[in-house]
Amino acid sequence: MSTFRTPRRRARLALAAAAITVAAALTGPVSQAAGSPSAPTSPSAAPSPGAPGLGDPIFPLDGNGGYRVNRYLLDFDWQAPRTPFEAATTVKATATQALSRFDLDFAGNTLHTVTVDGTTARAVRDGDELVITPAKPLAKGKPFTVKVTYTADPTQTRHRDDAIEDYGWIPTPDGTVLYPQPNGAKMIFPSNDHPSQRAPITFRITTPPGLAAVAGGELTGRAEQADGRVKWTYDSEQPLATQLAQLAIGRFTFVDSTGPHGLPIRDVVPDDLVASTEQYRKLTADHIAWLEERLGPYPFNRYGLLVGDTDLGVALETQTLSLIPKADLLGDRVSAERNLVHELTHQWTGDSVGIKSWSDLWLSEGHARFYERLYSQAHGGDSFEATMKTAYASHDQWRHDYGAPAEPTEPNLFKRMRYDGSTLVLYALREKVGQETFGRIERAWVTEYRGKIASTQDYVDLASQVAGQDLDGFLHPWLYGAKTPPMPNHPDWVVNPVQG
């Protein structure tokens, strides 16, 4: 997500979240992330409830324990903007413990039925948790299928007082786009809504005549129904975090082109914005080539831009199909390219290489801002060094106000420290080890962890290995300290005193 934005409407939707309720709900056990070892249990262990959350320091109840998701299948019968519609989500999963019950993250929407392996299950709403008790306990290692039917509410949004602002269903004049970051996917479909929990998604969307549907991944089917409605089927192809899912509906033109090595590029553009956004959209192939020189091959099978016909002011790196507000493509070229390169960089760092916890967000946003600014410096933008010197001067203040780069708090998760403040950590590392070694670290990072999740410590360990020196003592104060360390090679850089 980029925070370099054109002006936007400052709508405010109050999100009531009682911290005391969250704390009380954390009395249950904390599960492991998907893909990591489960807590030891014997095959004959008595069934027990899966944890209601993964215990993430930022969002403790996001994600769920006791199972891993293998695939989501979303069936949406879209009607009209801001109009409820019938929906079903099928979750194919495998139990990682003997389960007496388990949770899905699911907010709002009108629940109808829940089945487990075709048999009706007991389901209770508890805040943003859907607590499901199957008719029979599930054995450890057992594959199972959950189907939830509901009436979806495409007016649902929530609000954050940071760079995210409004998220969830974002309306457009003739449809919708999705903004699920950070944990808004639960407003769209029942899920394991945490960035460490990744699974492929199949989207099956039926639209009225004249409207198109698009989602991340490959279009695998388009079928006209007897009543004139059209069913669109998309496959994400690779697993993705729920915060990176995209589904848009509207009057769209699909603009196809080719990137480096024959990479398919598909832009999805509201009909009346095709010509006015073409100048900057056609730069994507060059942006991919520039990033491939620094980070290696593009990590997915396709890419494209979804132009948001909305006053949404924030772009988003939804996997293989970045959401770019129309205002970003109608302004000056330097600003447009900063946002375009930022979201594209995320396909390597944030999407392909996912984050293990929300405290690792600096790895995603810091890298995207680093290459955004590096590119912009060479294409008419500000000096990278000058912007880093400015960030250095403010770094102690940001640490005081927003937490150190790898120690955010929930209200400050998407504040400026996770952007230029985190880029400064990477800049300091490059100054420490030199440009050539830093480049090898970066290429090793996106290669070693391609298609995986990774943590801050994983990055520190890999950087140390590639550089041939223990960098933990250097990076730890940058990432966690209350005070900003000296900048290598820049003894004249000064940190401003903290105010307040």
Side-chain angles (χ1 to χ4, degrees):
M1 184 201 75
S2 172
T3 59
F4 185 76
R5 304 172 301 180
T6 51
R8 61 156 294 182
R9 170 183 61 92
R10 297 278 175 178
R12 291 294 182 262
L13 292 171
L15 171 56
I20 188 169
T21 302
V22 173
L26 291 177
T27 56
V30 175
S31 77
Q32 300 286 334
S36 61
S38 299
T41 60
S42 68
S44 59
S48 59
L54 296 178
D56 189 286
I58 306 299
F59 300 111
L61 287 178
D62 285 357
N64 303 285
Y67 64 93
R68 67 174 180 273
V69 176
N70 302 318
R71 178 173 287 273
Y72 297 100
L73 297 97
L74 310 183
D75 289 278
F76 289 169
D77 191 22
W78 178 265
Q79 299 300 314
R82 300 176 176 83
T83 302
F85 62 91
E86 296 311 301
T89 293
T90 302
V91 182
K92 294 184 177 294
T94 300
T96 56
Q97 69 178 67
L99 281 171
S100 59
R101 70 171 189 259
F102 58 92
D103 288 19
L104 289 169
D105 299 311
F106 192 42
N109 301 295
T110 302
L111 180 67
H112 296 319
T113 63
V114 178
T115 61
V116 176
D117 292 332
T119 301
T120 299
R122 182 172 181 266
V124 178
R125 306 295 291 263
D126 183 10
D128 287 350
E129 299 292 314
L130 179 60
V131 184
I132 299 171
T133 304
K136 295 181 179 180
L138 302 171
K140 180 181 178 181
K142 173 182 169 57
F144 64 98
T145 300
V146 184
K147 185 173 183 179
V148 182
T149 64
Y150 54 103
T151 299
D153 177 6
T155 67
Q156 280 200 99
T157 58
R158 291 183 175 179
H159 181 79
R160 292 182 56 83
D161 288 324
D162 57 15
I164 295 291
E165 300 194 5
D166 299 335
Y167 64 105
W169 295 93
I170 303 298
T172 63
D174 47 24
T176 190
V177 296
L178 297 186
Y179 200 105
Q181 193 179 68
N183 58 352
K186 67 184 70 171
M187 291 185 275
I188 297 151
F189 63 102
S191 59
N192 214 357
D193 194 10
H194 187 270
S196 68
Q197 309 296 294
R198 312 206 297 185
I201 301 179
T202 299
F203 304 83
R204 297 182 292 221
I205 313 105
T206 305
T207 61
L211 294 184
V214 65
E218 180 184 14
L219 175 63
T220 59
R222 181 187 181 280
E224 293 190 13
Q225 312 295 298
D227 60 358
R229 293 171 64 82
V230 180
K231 184 176 182 178
W232 308 76
T233 304
Y234 290 86
D235 190 317
S236 70
E237 302 181 284
Q238 286 91 13
L240 71 160
T242 49
Q243 63 145 340
L244 301 174
Q246 184 56 263
L247 163 69
I249 295 164
R251 292 182 174 85
F252 294 132
T253 296
F254 294 78
V255 183
D256 294 318
S257 60
T258 302
H261 324 295
L263 179 75
I265 297 175
R266 174 200 58 190
D267 291 342
V268 182
V269 191
D271 290 346
D272 59 355
L273 293 172
V274 174
S276 58
T277 61
E278 180 183 11
Q279 178 184 4
Y280 301 149
R281 286 190 295 102
K282 68 182 182 182
L283 300 172
T284 295
D286 291 340
H287 294 160
I288 294 172
W290 186 88
L291 282 165
E292 285 192 332
E293 290 177 1
R294 289 151 182 83
L295 296 174
Y298 175 77
F300 298 112
N301 296 338
R302 62 197 75 251
Y303 186 62
L305 306 178
L306 169 62
V307 179
D309 188 7
T310 169
D311 57 3
L312 177 76
V314 184
L316 183 63
E317 65 273 16
T318 40
Q319 191 163 302
T320 73
L321 185 64
S322 290
L323 172 61
I324 307 293
K326 62 182 178 181
D328 287 357
L329 299 171
L330 299 176
D332 67 278
R333 178 164 175 164
V334 169
S335 300
E337 289 200 271
R338 280 187 58 186
N339 277 338
L340 291 169
V341 171
H342 183 107
E343 306 310 334
L344 177 58
T345 303
H346 271 305
Q347 303 300 313
W348 280 265
T349 62
D351 292 15
S352 176
V353 182
I355 57 173
K356 190 172 184 179
S357 77
W358 280 112
S359 297
D360 302 314
L361 181 64
W362 80 273
L363 281 166
S364 176
E365 296 299 347
H367 272 103
R369 180 59 58 87
F370 183 96
Y371 289 100
E372 164 202 330
R373 288 206 176 275
L374 191 64
Y375 179 92
S376 186
Q377 174 182 255
H379 295 81
D382 295 335
S383 160
F384 192 10
E385 180 176 317
T387 60
M388 289 298 93
K389 184 176 182 179
T390 299
Y392 186 83
S394 299
H395 223 244
D396 274 3
Q397 187 70 54
W398 294 346
R399 286 171 190 268
H400 175 271
D401 294 342
Y402 310 136
E407 280 190 326
T409 59
E410 190 277 331
N412 300 318
L413 183 58
F414 288 91
K415 290 292 179 70
R416 194 164 181 183
M417 179 56 95
R418 253 50 68 189
Y419 298 92
D420 279 333
S422 297
T423 301
L424 190 71
V425 178
L426 298 172
Y427 184 88
L429 177 60
R430 192 179 71 166
E431 292 296 293
K432 169 73 172 176
V433 302
Q435 187 167 322
E436 190 275 333
T437 298
F438 179 78
R440 289 193 292 111
I441 291 170
E442 293 291 276
R443 287 187 292 275
W445 175 244
V446 298
T447 301
E448 175 71 20
Y449 289 100
R450 177 171 175 158
K452 303 175 184 176
I453 59 171
S455 68
T456 296
Q457 192 59 51
D458 290 328
Y459 185 82
V460 173
D461 291 344
L462 183 139
S464 298
Q465 177 184 348
V466 173
Q469 58 178 300
D470 185 355
L471 292 168
D472 190 85
F474 174 77
L475 285 171
H476 194 275
W478 277 99
L479 292 166
Y480 299 102
K483 293 290 185 180
T484 305
M487 176 60 71
N489 306 323
H490 295 281
D492 58 317
W493 286 17
V494 177
V495 183
N496 294 334
V498 173
Q499 303 295 318

